[in-house]
Amino acid sequence: MSKIQHDIQQALSYVKSGDTVLVGGFGLIGAPLTLIDGLTEKDVNDLTIVSNNLGESGKGLGILLNQNKIKKGIGSYFTSNRDVGDKYQRGEIELELLPQGTLAESMRAGGAGIGGYYTTTGVGTDLAKGKEEREIDGVKYILEKAIRADVALIRAHKADTLGNLVYYKTARNFNPLMATAAKTVIVEVDEIVEPGELNPEEIVTPFIYVDFIVKAQQILTKEGVVSV
Amino acid sequence: MSKIQHDIQQALSYVKSGDTVLVGGFGLIGAPLTLIDGLTEKDVNDLTIVSNNLGESGKGLGILLNQNKIKKGIGSYFTSNRDVGDKYQRGEIELELLPQGTLAESMRAGGAGIGGYYTTTGVGTDLAKGKEEREIDGVKYILEKAIRADVALIRAHKADTLGNLVYYKTARNFNPLMATAAKTVIVEVDEIVEPGELNPEEIVTPFIYVDFIVKAQQILTKEGVVSV
Amino acid sequence: MTTQMSKAETQHMIAKRVALELQGPCTVNLGIGIPTLVAEYMTEDNIYLHTENGLLGVTDVEEADIDPNLVNAGKLPVGEAIGSSFFNSSDSFAMIRGGHVDVAILGALQVDETGVIANWAVPGKNIMGVGGAMDLLVGAKKVFVTMNHTSKDGSSKLLKECTYPITSTRQVDMIFTELAVFNVEDGQLKLVDLMPGATIEEVREKTEAAFIE
Amino acid sequence: MTTQMSKAETQHMIAKRVALELQGPCTVNLGIGIPTLVAEYMTEDNIYLHTENGLLGVTDVEEADIDPNLVNAGKLPVGEAIGSSFFNSSDSFAMIRGGHVDVAILGALQVDETGVIANWAVPGKNIMGVGGAMDLLVGAKKVFVTMNHTSKDGSSKLLKECTYPITSTRQVDMIFTELAVFNVEDGQLKLVDLMPGATIEEVREKTEAAFIE
């Protein structure tokens, strides 16, 4: 069975109401814009979205937010979208704020069969409240739990038809981690090539992590997001 | 100051008696044979060696073992060198056996500022004895601690003069992890190139991890280890 | 067994039988020994082999193409398939422990009647090596075990309880010996096949563990 | 201050002063705001810039060469130096948290007299963003902080105790404002420099925190 999906909604059929969904990107950079766009057109709700930001006001995940499809956001920097704060104050969304390194590491842990880990980040701050503190070899750490999800929507630069992925510059960010931490992984890419065209030493995400591949129809350019 | 060292003993001057030393390689594959050879010629003892294997009988780290320079070995598969068992029975060496994935993950943790982590590997076995067991979300884990060291001796394929590294096929193994987990990192390579010659998307070990670079003088070939 | 096979023939017979259980697309990790031989009998071309020392896409290699830096977990020379990738040991075990490898095929010294195995240590001998066995047991979606049905002294290796240290509390999924094939279902061994030349009586006689026929 | 500088001029003055403290070879992570400007004043060519979104080797970029997928942590377009490398977010924070970045230059809202800072949340407002600040504070070998000496209402931002939530219990190493430069030594602020146009009297008047002159 080919992993390549030509129909975005078909690919997104794996996203169900109530799911936890990892969404790649640092702001719009490296975000799966085509898949996010598809999600805004899909009848789905009560989603828990794990993503560094919840888009910008009225853009990307921001549209999903305004559609009231997001029950909870887990991220490190919601400030980039003022609507998040407004919704939070009205009690319309739950938020879990994590340091950016913890957000990344928790997904890596989730993908690697690690249940939790002790990190120095956040010790003694408000973000450590309710978290176990422990001293190991004279250093204070807090316990952070792994993050795993139902679906990951990610973006890569190229995929081969097996599902091996390479990324492009700082559009890599959270995407390779999210590829490891979800039951179903859907990737959108600029280009699909034949197996053997990607250098085996250079593949960042081996194909076992990827379930479906779609071609990007929304691209970030200097002039903003354009449809192709 | 250039990171390139032409004198192996000069590079090894950072290894002191009593140090914990990470040594790369899966058996001889990807092992820093030149640096190990240099270590056998150096007056140093009471070393704790962290390496998947302690070489083979009379080869690689096996020589160091027979020179009684190793106080303790931490690894996953000492069986490859029968001398290790003999020495252990005579009480001449301490051994800490770890599952291979735990050995790797503990060094990654050490390099990443993670103090310890909960893994499913080993739960309920003799290797879990004395280790904290904990249930997280219904799954049993044991706590494993990070490994950090004084020095790492590793092998890569190419370095640029800044210290960026790329590896070669299955000679990669533990080397990139060890590069992150020691105070001083010494790498031996097949080839030294100028900055810009390695593809920025392909660099596995960024230069901040590397302190010294030496050119390999002992190479693993089909016919065994040869001097070049 | 009534027919006399060489050790190598027996190993190949077991490997061939294991191969029948592999349906692609899937990713399989092969342990040292009999498991390595399974690769020779796989018929589907969408089965990819993972080796924990850092390669997804292991293939056979011709003598002339041997590369000393391209080996499997048994340190034997291998080749690389089209579409293969290399990675470090922690990424490799993240794949294993994180549940991304479909099948692990391992050797075992003993198995108990619930499907728990012992394959890394023998009491009284120095416990010197474990390698990736514990990681594979907790992480692989399915675990198949190949083993001799009996010890040299004729005693069963399929026991009520393992006398050697167990490798994991996880029960394996299938057990392949030179006499029989068992599924592990709801914590019980179930005989699903007799190997060529084996009889049900011989299996009963040489199996200490309870099993469902 | 006696002279009237624009906000931008003040920011550049601070950035320029910070740059004097950077000696290569070293790796520096620049926060958003004034820290970003520091890059313009670095004189040594062996200072490498790390950005936590996944690049070691940040440089300026010409308008014509802007690549929308090549940005810094402030999502501003950047270039890549010769010898740069890209990596994912967990590898990037492994560098930071693991102690492999030499200097982090961060903005701050408040600093207390032991050098502990608050820079991610204001009480009464929604706590909406923390980004990499907590990671950088625990991990960077040295932390330099740039900040305004006083609030708009004239009250000191160098306080006996932070009234905003702290970012880390770790004490920073140096503090740079438009009036003065402080070292943090043994948990005490020590004035090491006055900025152009500032007087010791003005610094005393506008600094609530105790400091050694």
Side-chain angles (χ1 to χ4, degrees), chain A residues 76 78 100 168-170 222, chain D residues 66-67 69 80 128 130-131:
Chain A
S76 93
F78 299 119
Q100 199 176 135
Y168 180 82
K169 300 190 190 277
T170 53
K222 272 194 206 187
Chain D
I66 285 176
D67 182 332
N69 286 307
E80 45 183 308
M128 305 298 293
V130 62

Side-chain angles (χ1 to χ4, degrees), chain B residues 42-113:
Chain B
K42 187 179 160 77
D43 183 19
V44 66
N45 52 51
D46 280 333
L47 299 177
T48 294
I49 300 288
V50 185
S51 193
N52 193 54
N53 321 78
L54 284 179
E56 299 172 20
S57 181
K59 281 189 197 169
L61 290 171
I63 300 174
L64 215 62
L65 176 83
N66 294 343
Q67 289 175 331
N68 302 312
K69 291 177 179 170
I70 304 178
K71 185 182 68 178
K72 182 177 180 182
I74 301 176
S76 92
Y77 203 73
F78 299 118
T79 320
S80 57
N81 182 351
R82 59 182 152 73
D83 299 342
V84 178
D86 296 345
K87 272 205 170 310
Y88 182 69
Q89 280 187 319
R90 292 198 301 270
E92 292 172 10
I93 188 169
E94 294 169 55
L95 292 179
E96 184 175 345
L97 189 66
L98 293 173
Q100 197 175 139
T102 299
L103 178 67
E105 188 67 18
S106 290
M107 288 189 280
R108 184 193 170 279

Side-chain angles (χ1 to χ4, degrees), chain C residues 8-28:
Chain C
E9 283 171 332
T10 306
Q11 292 186 333
H12 277 269
M13 178 182 72
I14 297 173
K16 191 172 173 181
R17 180 61 186 80
V18 175
L20 288 181
E21 301 295 329
L22 297 175
Q23 264 109 43
C26 70
T27 300
V28 181

Side-chain angles (χ1 to χ4, degrees), chain A residues 48-52 72-76 78 95-96 98 103 147:
Chain A
T48 294
I49 300 288
V50 184
S51 193
N52 192 52
K72 182 176 180 182
I74 300 176
S76 93
F78 299 119
L95 293 179
E96 184 175 344
L98 293 173
L103 178 67
I147 294 175

Side-chain angles (χ1 to χ4, degrees), chain B residues 12-225:
Chain B
L12 289 173
S13 65
Y14 292 84
V15 182
K16 311 283 185 206
S17 288
D19 274 0
T20 296
V21 184
L22 313 179
V23 184
F26 184 78
L28 297 178
I29 297 98
L33 300 170
T34 312
L35 293 167
I36 293 170
D37 192 56
L39 214 48
T40 64
E41 288 166 20
K42 187 179 160 77
D43 183 19
V44 66
N45 52 51
D46 280 333
L47 299 177
T48 294
I49 300 288
V50 185
S51 193
N52 193 54
N53 321 78
L54 284 179
E56 299 172 20
S57 181
K59 281 189 197 169
L61 290 171
I63 300 174
L64 215 62
L65 176 83
N66 294 343
Q67 289 175 331
N68 302 312
K69 291 177 179 170
I70 304 178
K71 185 182 68 178
K72 182 177 180 182
I74 301 176
S76 92
Y77 203 73
F78 299 118
T79 320
S80 57
N81 182 351
R82 59 182 152 73
D83 299 342
V84 178
D86 296 345
K87 272 205 170 310
Y88 182 69
Q89 280 187 319
R90 292 198 301 270
E92 292 172 10
I93 188 169
E94 294 169 55
L95 292 179
E96 184 175 345
L97 189 66
L98 293 173
Q100 197 175 139
T102 299
L103 178 67
E105 188 67 18
S106 290
M107 288 189 280
R108 184 193 170 279
I114 305 293
Y117 59 93
Y118 288 101
T119 178
T120 45
T121 301
V123 169
T125 73
D126 284 357
L127 292 191
K129 281 181 183 166
K131 291 176 181 173
E132 178 192 314
E133 186 177 299
R134 179 180 198 136
E135 198 168 303
I136 302 174
D137 296 336
V139 178
K140 282 183 186 166
Y141 297 88
I142 53 172
L143 178 64
E144 294 283 0
K145 278 175 65 177
I147 294 175
R148 282 192 62 77
D150 299 294
V151 183
L153 306 181
I154 65 167
R155 189 183 209 290
H157 182 39
K158 293 185 191 180
D160 68 21
T161 55
L162 290 171
N164 287 306
L165 305 180
V166 295
Y167 299 84
Y168 181 81
K169 300 191 191 278
T170 53
R172 186 184 306 197
N173 55 66
F174 294 92
N175 288 297
L177 311 169
M178 292 178 169
T180 70
K183 279 177 225 150
T184 303
V185 176
I186 310 169
V187 60
E188 84 179 69
V189 296
D190 292 313
E191 197 181 340
I192 299 171
V193 302
E194 288 301 310
E197 288 189 44
L198 303 177
N199 178 355
E201 303 276 9
E202 208 175 338
I203 288 167
V204 174
T205 298
F207 66 80
I208 52 171
Y209 291 112
V210 175
D211 297 294
F212 299 105
I213 305 164
V214 304
K215 196 89 189 299
Q217 294 166 12
Q218 307 267 318
I219 309 268
L220 182 65
T221 70
K222 271 194 206 186
E223 287 74 35
V225 178

Side-chain angles (χ1 to χ4, degrees), chain A residues 99-102 119 121-122, chain D residues 93 96-97 131-140:
Chain A
Q100 199 176 135
T102 299
T119 177
T121 301
Chain D
F93 281 94
I96 291 170
R97 207 178 34 227
M134 289 188 179
D135 303 282
L136 285 158
L137 267 162
V138 298

